[in-house]
Amino acid sequence: MRISDGRLIGMIDLRHELSGFLLKYNGQIGYSVRPSERKKGYACQMLLLVRKKAENFGYKKVLVCCNKANAQSARVIQKCGGALEKYGQRHNK
């Protein structure tokens, strides 16, 4: 939430257990940014902050997935150190 106006900018979720579905499609981190707030750097800030939280829980690597057609999310993941893997999945190192 943005402090200046109380507006919800986006949400991010750190999942501690990976079921088969999460492993294949969603990963350990899921995030979303309000459409009107995209392309302002919020997604990168959110992902970098939650990576630090994941490290505090002992995770050396986390799985972040995106659809192959979602080029914007792929760029965010790559900017934050992600590496392309099979099926459009990306690991954030």
Side-chain angles (χ1 to χ4, degrees):
M1 186 164 314
R2 188 167 42 215
I3 295 170
S4 64
D5 61 4
R7 186 177 184 132
L8 181 65
I9 301 299
M11 297 180 290
I12 194 156
D13 186 24
L14 174 61
R15 303 174 188 106
H16 296 281
E17 294 183 27
L18 281 176
S19 66
F21 181 82
L22 289 175
L23 184 61
K24 188 170 182 180
Y25 297 106
N26 290 358
Q28 284 171 278
I29 296 175
Y31 62 93
S32 178
V33 176
R34 177 187 294 270
S36 64
E37 301 298 330
R38 291 179 183 160
K39 297 184 180 181
K40 297 180 181 180
Y42 290 118
C44 284
Q45 289 177 19
M46 290 167 38
L47 189 51
L48 290 172
L49 287 171
V50 82
R51 276 184 56 204
K52 288 181 183 179
K53 287 286 187 186
E55 288 174 13
N56 291 340
F57 283 106
Y59 297 112
K60 293 182 182 189
K61 290 173 90 174
V62 291
L63 179 65
V64 182
C65 299
C66 72
N67 187 299
K68 287 181 183 182
N70 191 342
Q72 286 179 317
S73 188
R75 280 192 296 275
V76 167
I77 294 166
Q78 288 175 320
K79 280 184 182 179
C80 294
L84 179 63
E85 290 193 358
K86 63 182 179 175
Y87 306 116
Q89 295 177 352
R90 297 169 185 272
H91 262 98
N92 200 325
K93 297 179 182 177

